[in-house]
Amino acid sequence: MFVLFAVFFASLVSSFFEKKKLAMLFLLLNLLLMGSFLLQHEMPSL
Amino acid sequence: MKKAFYFQPLSNAFFIYVLCAILGASFLHQFIKDDPPCDLCLLQRAAMLGTAISLLLNLHFEIRVEHYALALAYSLLGFFSSLYHIAIHMNPDVEIYTMPVMGQYLYVWSFWIFLSSLTSLAILLFLSGVMPKSGKLRKEWKWTAFALTSLLAIGLFITTFPD
């Protein structure tokens, strides 16, 4: 889970250095990571 | 006319501050009540932070539709994540570990936050096409939002880092 927040911080750092495309790339990467995490989350047995 | 000119950046800054306040409050709850978050709670916090950072791009660069699209995607992901979390706890056999805050569990609050976030983003996106091109806010507003989101990202990174 800490990887998600590291990528967020990387996105903030790249926007600080005016690298807009890199910041957006990091945000998109995180969106994919979070989506895959949500899909892989185990549903408890009902 | 001047108020309308600054409406977009002002509302974006307000949106970011509200999200940061909610994340800060969840942090306080975690440490004061000794209530560590589960994986899905962390995912919802990440979605809130993602929404805030996407809106920060609007403040830092310029108001663009793609920044709103990113914020909408993060809010949608958080919305479904909290809905899924609620669905899990509909099962009476699944134990609830967290304690309620003001009568509701945190994942239920999260559902309402993402629902209102989606509504506000839809309104802002609509207005970005209707209103004239926005001016830039004073730098202090932007850098405060920047500092708050950076602090939260670092804090969440440290607290989730494996021992």
Side-chain angles (χ1 to χ4, degrees):
Chain A
M1 197 54 89
F2 69 97
V3 177
L4 291 179
F5 301 111
V7 177
F8 274 137
F9 189 67
S11 167
L12 281 167
V13 169
S14 34
S15 62
F16 179 80
F17 290 109
E18 306 287 331
K19 307 273 183 201
K20 184 186 159 185
K21 283 188 179 166
L22 196 62
M24 285 182 71
L25 201 71
F26 277 130
L27 282 176
L28 279 173
L29 173 75
N30 237 5
L31 205 58
L32 284 175
L33 280 173
M34 285 166 69
S36 64
F37 180 85
L38 188 61
L39 290 175
Q40 281 175 0
H41 191 269
E42 275 182 48
M43 188 76 178
S45 55
L46 298 173
Chain B
M1 188 68 192
K2 201 168 185 182
K3 272 183 190 168
F5 195 65
Y6 286 103
F7 176 77
Q8 285 282 331
L10 258 179
S11 46
N12 273 282
F14 180 71
F15 205 143
I16 296 169
Y17 291 152
V18 169
L19 286 176
C20 288
I22 291 165
L23 280 170
S26 70
F27 244 128
L28 280 180
H29 174 82
Q30 178 182 339
F31 290 112
I32 292 173
K33 303 267 182 180
D34 195 23
D35 188 11
C38 64
D39 282 351
L40 279 175
C41 298
L42 281 173
L43 196 71
Q44 285 151 33
R45 286 183 193 184
M48 272 181 217
L49 191 64
T51 311
I53 295 174
S54 308
L55 291 174
L56 190 65
L57 295 183
N58 269 342
L59 287 188
H60 194 62
F61 298 102
E62 56 179 331
I63 307 281
R64 298 278 300 191
V65 175
E66 55 259 38
H67 304 153
Y68 279 128
L70 269 173
L72 267 173
Y74 273 109
S75 292
L76 208 59
L77 197 137
F79 177 77
F80 279 113
S81 156
S82 54
L83 205 61
Y84 174 64
H85 206 159
I86 292 171
I88 286 175
H89 288 295
M90 295 283 272
N91 182 359
D93 295 337
V94 176
E95 208 173 324
I96 300 175
Y97 299 105
T98 59
M99 50 188 84
V101 177
M102 288 188 282
Q104 297 277 16
Y105 289 105
L106 285 182
Y107 51 86
V108 181
W109 280 120
S110 172
F111 170 82
W112 290 115
I113 288 161
F114 283 117
L115 190 65
S116 43
S117 169
L118 281 170
T119 315
S120 327
L121 280 170
I123 294 168
L124 281 176
L125 196 55
F126 174 77
L127 291 176
S128 74
V130 173
M131 287 192 168
K133 203 169 160 56
S134 294
K136 288 212 167 184
L137 277 183
R138 285 175 63 183
K139 281 185 179 173
E140 292 87 352
W141 289 73
K142 182 180 85 179
W143 290 119
T144 312
F146 214 100
L148 282 173
T149 43
S150 306
L151 270 176
L152 284 166
I154 293 169
L156 283 163
F157 174 77
I158 292 168
T159 48
T160 51
F161 199 78
D163 295 324

